Amino acid sequence: MFRRPARPVTAVAAALAAVGALTATATAPASAHAPAARGGAAARHVLLLSVDGLHQSDLAWYVAHHPDSALARLATGGVEYTHARTTIPSDSFPGMIGQVTGGNPGTTGVYYDDTYSNALLPAGTTSCTGVKPGAEVDLTEDLDRNKDSLDAGQGLAGLPGSILTMTGDARSLIGPSKLPVDPKTCKPVEPHSYLKVNTVFEVARKAGLRTAWSDKHVAYEILNGPSGTGVQDLFAPEINSTATGYPAGDDWTKDNAATEQYDGYKVRAVLNEIDGYDHSRRHKVGTPAVFGMNFQSVSTAQKLPSSDGLTGGYLAKGVPGPLLEKNLAFVDKEVGAFLAELGKRHLDGSTTVVLSAKHGQSPTDPKALTRIDDGPLLDGLNAAWKAAHPGAGDLVAHAVDDDAMLLWLTDRSEAATDFAKAYLLAQSGTGNGIDGKARPFTASGLKTLYAGAAAARYFHVRPGDARVPDLFGITRYGVVYTGGKGKIAEHGGVHADDLDVPLVVSGAGAPRGVRVGGSVETTQIAPTILRLLGLDPEALDAVRAERTRVLPTL
């Protein structure tokens, strides 16, 4: 993956403008008068669990093979939505943000974890007069004070064993000099300020309820929402930090056992919260109303060719290999621990568990894999542009390519976007397959490429929107942009393998033993959480703008 630094939106924008002044009123104690979920009385707690990479087909496979498992009890004991889809692009940030705002990228303004804005100034800008807008918006580990440390630079002694004492104020661990700058104020733009709409955490806080979340980077401070105060306890150990006890230079994703160990820290944090403590178990604060975590281990089991002596990925289309099967069992065990603890604390009757995924992973058919190094493609595009325009600089301002292609250009004119589209669709070459042998590709591995105004329309925003990619490429099935042979799957694209994720709602307020086969979206989780808690789904900006519905039967 090559990263180069550097409802039509008209209706959505109008709706947001119209309701913006009402947000404080709409979200303030949102309500005692809101209807409870159809399945019964309103829940007091919602535990949201997101398993990166998990497909609905993976859940179905595991439940079929392990009918007495915790995942089976969850799926059969509540409402299982068998045709749920995550956001496009199917990346962690838009996927997670969709779950807690009810909005898609055109509404939330967040397209990926590493994007570009034509309205902001580069990180580190201190004198803003005369500086041309255009800046990378990096929401990855790069924002940490120290991205090589599990505590993101807090300076804890005794890591990794002491990681539970990491602060719940993730915002305090972000380096201000690493943030893009607002040209109007000449001040850094924090992640929460970059998000255009509010979150379920903010609505819950305004109603006087407690909130918590655990995730993989301190940049998930964005979940605080525009107020900056949505998540009271945000535990975010850095997954891309150096993994203590593993080969030098490896982070927690390079060895699947390390990823399980890493996920285990977040599991302990959530168990502490179920017990009524903060994530560190140092302060008795009460079980949160909205809380949960993100699992990473299934994702690394899908991406790594092998780890810990086990083959990664899938043996055949949709058939988990031994490493992935092991990780499905790992997640099942931890979900079982949550369910057991809820029962032990007599919270099972007042808690709803929501299980889903930020994204899937593609391809699930190992024979379809074609790895393509996108670096030479983008270098070639820049060279061709400069040859055709003597004296010009690079055309590509920023690129993010996993199993989709997102490009932001230094020249956003129709002529420039058409030039880039024509160049990329004309490129052929040789990548490699699952066996490492050469595999030819055409059209840069792309099936469809939206450019300029067409890309804006794809995301339902106005042409010229400051954040939308200038080109959005849909790859041919199986294409993964990566150099070398160390990765066998990715996400971000629009294939079923990227989008088709599980969605289960089980527990308080949910009917039992219901399967819904109609199409739903993970953005519907956000208004559903509020409905379950007896709060008003309309308190969410994105719900009002996109008319996002509560999940059926709830």
Side-chain angles (χ1 to χ4, degrees), residues 1-64:
M1 172 184 62
F2 184 85
R3 296 179 188 264
R4 196 183 291 274
R7 315 136 192 150
V9 158
T10 50
V12 170
L16 284 173
V19 301
L22 302 176
T23 299
T25 302
T27 57
S31 192
H33 303 294
R38 294 180 194 171
R44 294 181 59 196
H45 313 279
V46 176
L47 174 61
L48 176 59
L49 303 175
S50 183
V51 185
D52 273 16
L54 189 66
H55 304 98
Q56 169 59 24
S57 58
D58 297 326
L59 178 62
W61 182 93
Y62 192 82
V63 168

Side-chain angles (χ1 to χ4, degrees), residues 75-97:
T76 60
V79 185
E80 182 180 13
Y81 299 90
T82 58
H83 287 85
R85 288 203 156 194
T86 190
T87 58
I88 297 174
S90 54
D91 179 56
S92 294
F93 263 78
M96 187 70 248
I97 287 168

Side-chain angles (χ1 to χ4, degrees), residues 19-32 197-208 227 530 535-542 544:
V19 301
L22 302 176
T23 299
T25 302
T27 57
S31 192
V197 296
N198 64 345
T199 71
V200 295
F201 298 111
E202 289 177 291
V203 176
R205 288 294 312 279
K206 284 181 178 292
S227 70
L530 296 187
L535 304 177
D536 186 2
E538 293 285 318
L540 288 168
D541 300 334
R544 299 194 302 278

Side-chain angles (χ1 to χ4, degrees), residues 11 33 81 96 232 239 242 256 302 358 373-374 386 390 459 462 504 517 524 527 552:
H33 303 294
Y81 299 90
M96 187 70 248
Q232 287 168 283
I239 193 168
T242 301
N256 190 248
Q302 293 166 325
K358 299 175 183 177
D373 187 351
D374 53 324
K386 288 187 278 192
F459 289 108
R462 292 188 181 95
V504 174
Q524 293 176 256

Side-chain angles (χ1 to χ4, degrees), residues 363-382:
T364 60
D365 181 356
K367 293 185 296 184
L369 178 66
T370 302
R371 287 177 285 223
I372 299 173
D373 187 351
D374 53 324
L377 294 174
L378 301 185
D379 288 340
L381 171 57
N382 283 327

Side-chain angles (χ1 to χ4, degrees), residues 33 94 98 184 266 288 390 542:
H33 303 294
K184 296 177 182 178
K266 292 183 292 185

Side-chain angles (χ1 to χ4, degrees), residues 271-287:
L271 289 171
N272 288 339
E273 290 159 0
I274 290 173
D275 290 348
Y277 294 88
D278 68 352
H279 77 268
S280 70
R281 207 176 182 86
R282 290 182 298 178
H283 306 287
K284 192 76 170 179
V285 291
T287 304

